[in-house]
Amino acid sequence: MSDLTEISLEAICEAALFVSPRPLSPRSLAALSGRTEKEVRAALAGLRDRYEGGGGGLVVQEVGGKFQLVTCRELAPFLEKLTGRPREVDLSRAAMETLAAVAFHGPVTRGDIEAMRGVNSEGALITLIERDLVREAGRKETLGRPFLYVVTGEFFRR
């Protein structure tokens, strides 16, 4: 395959998803390949079908309108042995309730979250920010100008 015109769009998308540390948009893949977004979306659908039907260890995952190549969830125990990194500890109930409030109602203030939950949510918010699931997204234009919180791209990836 020395001639670039002979390389399939599906192969270009696959290689780009493989080397990219972040999800890629159809627009960026179109710019990379010199093709249209419609052609890229068709290639991504073909790539997704090939991976899902092949019974292999990889899948094409869509995250917030962007795509990435990831390992199958079922292989996590084997990959943990390889990397030596255990899976992340699950979130506490308080953190899950706080995350749900931010995801469903965001952007919200800590006061909004505490009004919904009926308890202090500072610790849960700190945990979610440390895990890059929630971020500050400016300030509310009210007395005291409290921070507004929204979910991150990492939230959608997970």
Side-chain angles (χ1 to χ4, degrees):
M1 281 200 210
S2 60
D3 186 6
L4 291 179
T5 59
E6 295 178 18
I7 299 174
S8 76
L9 180 55
E10 203 169 285
I12 293 168
C13 291
E14 180 179 34
L17 294 177
F18 179 75
V19 300
S20 177
R22 295 278 180 220
L24 298 173
S25 69
R27 176 177 284 172
S28 65
L29 289 167
L32 173 72
S33 65
R35 307 283 180 82
T36 67
E37 283 187 52
K38 185 176 180 180
E39 290 173 312
V40 167
R41 288 183 188 281
L44 289 168
L47 195 58
R48 179 183 273 171
D49 291 344
R50 183 162 46 102
Y51 276 108
E52 288 177 0
L58 300 174
V59 294
V60 175
Q61 179 181 40
E62 184 175 0
V63 179
K66 296 181 178 183
F67 295 83
Q68 64 184 19
L69 195 58
V70 298
T71 56
C72 294
R73 183 170 296 226
E74 298 80 19
L75 298 175
F78 303 102
L79 299 175
E80 288 169 13
K81 289 179 186 177
L82 175 67
T83 62
R85 291 186 301 174
R87 287 177 49 186
E88 288 190 27
V89 177
D90 292 334
L91 294 174
S92 68
R93 181 179 176 143
M96 285 297 288
E97 288 175 1
T98 302
L99 183 58
V102 175
F104 189 74
H105 298 286
V108 293
T109 66
R110 190 175 106 198
D112 296 333
I113 296 166
E114 291 173 353
M116 286 181 245
R117 293 188 61 231
V119 295
N120 184 319
S121 298
E122 183 178 10
L125 267 174
I126 290 170
T127 298
L128 295 171
I129 291 169
E130 287 173 350
R131 293 194 183 184
D132 194 28
L133 297 172
V134 169
R135 68 176 174 81
E136 293 174 356
R139 293 183 175 267
K140 190 171 183 177
E141 296 297 326
T142 63
L143 185 62
R145 299 197 18 98
F147 284 110
L148 290 168
Y149 296 96
V150 296
V151 293
T152 64
E154 184 66 19
F155 166 80
F156 290 108
R157 285 186 358 153
R158 291 186 190 190

